[in-house]
Amino acid sequence: MKRMIMSSLLGLGLMLPLPSCLSAQNNYPPPAPAPASSSDATHVSVGAFGDLLHFGPGSATENLVGLGGRLGINMSHHTAIEGEMAYDFAKNYTVGSVSGSGGGVSGGVSSNTVTVGVRPLWALFGPRFDLGSEHFNFFLTGKLGFVNWTYTNPHSVSTTTFNNAVTSIGGSGTELAFYPGGGLQGYWGFFGLRAEVGDAIYWANGAHGNLRVTFGPQIRF
């Protein structure tokens, strides 16, 4: 009888520490937090683009081409703040004429090259709203800024003419500008491409709209 009592007490004594042991074994360290998705990270993007401006101040229209650059800061996955500047070059076009003598075949053909001496410099700033994934999305943008008109006869672009246009922002040749637009952009890692179309509107005795198309590479980091 004593042997049975001793065996029972011994077994009970061995079982008592078990809950504390099991409890200690279940106290695993908390799991590490999941890394933030790259789509939630804040990116800075820098881009360059070719610029096509369908310039129509009156009845005549011209397609001006130029180059530009932009800088964007992503505030969230769907919102960014961007600033950009674009400089369109002056353009040459050739006018041909045929002259004759008394309606005969004698005469000649002549041509005259004329320079469109207008160089607009656009400086715009505003938000961009992305609709899509991190790698490919459609976006809308609306920017405010200025356009400066430089009028020069030489058709070649020099550092002096560009610097003069930049320093003239806010001067007598500068008009208020507004640019609503949209487009598509896609990224492969840090490198991307962006295509955009919009209406470059400036105010000079009323609002004047001009179709604007840009395309170029972007880098984000």
Side-chain angles (χ1 to χ4, degrees):
M1 185 67 177
K2 290 182 179 181
R3 185 175 299 176
M4 294 177 61
I5 294 174
M6 293 298 295
S7 299
S8 300
L9 292 176
L10 180 60
L12 182 60
L14 292 175
M15 293 178 63
L16 286 176
L18 287 179
S20 59
C21 296
L22 293 175
S23 176
Q25 292 178 356
N26 290 333
N27 289 334
Y28 296 109
S37 171
S38 58
S39 62
D40 297 330
T42 298
H43 295 291
V44 175
S45 61
V46 179
F49 56 85
D51 177 87
L52 171 64
L53 180 71
H54 186 67
F55 179 56
S59 58
T61 60
E62 289 295 334
N63 292 321
L64 303 179
V65 296
L67 296 173
R70 63 171 59 96
L71 171 67
I73 300 176
N74 285 12
M75 309 305 294
S76 69
H77 179 47
H78 295 289
T79 308
I81 299 295
E82 287 188 336
E84 65 177 66
M85 182 176 287
Y87 184 68
D88 294 315
F89 309 136
K91 179 184 177 182
N92 291 343
Y93 66 93
T94 302
V95 178
S97 63
V98 178
S99 61
S101 176
V105 296
S106 61
V109 178
S110 62
S111 63
N112 183 31
T113 299
V114 181
T115 299
V116 180
V118 179
R119 292 189 176 98
L121 173 71
W122 300 86
L124 301 165
F125 179 83
R128 188 193 76 230
F129 304 99
D130 297 337
L131 307 173
S133 69
E134 174 193 8
H135 303 289
F136 184 80
N137 62 64
F138 170 75
F139 64 88
L140 297 173
T141 184
K143 297 185 176 77
L144 281 173
F146 301 93
V147 56
N148 175 262
W149 306 101
T150 302
Y151 301 91
T152 54
N153 290 324
H155 63 273
S156 60
V157 178
S158 66
T159 303
T160 301
T161 59
F162 178 76
N163 289 341
N164 289 341
V166 173
T167 55
S168 296
I169 286 289
S172 59
T174 300
E175 309 290 350
L176 179 66
F178 173 60
Y179 174 74
L184 297 171
Q185 61 182 2
Y187 279 96
W188 297 265
F190 69 91
F191 176 79
L193 291 173
R194 172 167 167 170
E196 184 176 328
V197 61
D199 190 3
I201 305 170
Y202 68 93
W203 276 264
N205 297 321
H208 303 271
N210 304 272
L211 177 67
R212 181 176 181 240
V213 180
T214 65
F215 178 79
Q218 292 203 141
I219 297 175
R220 68 180 180 184
F221 50 91

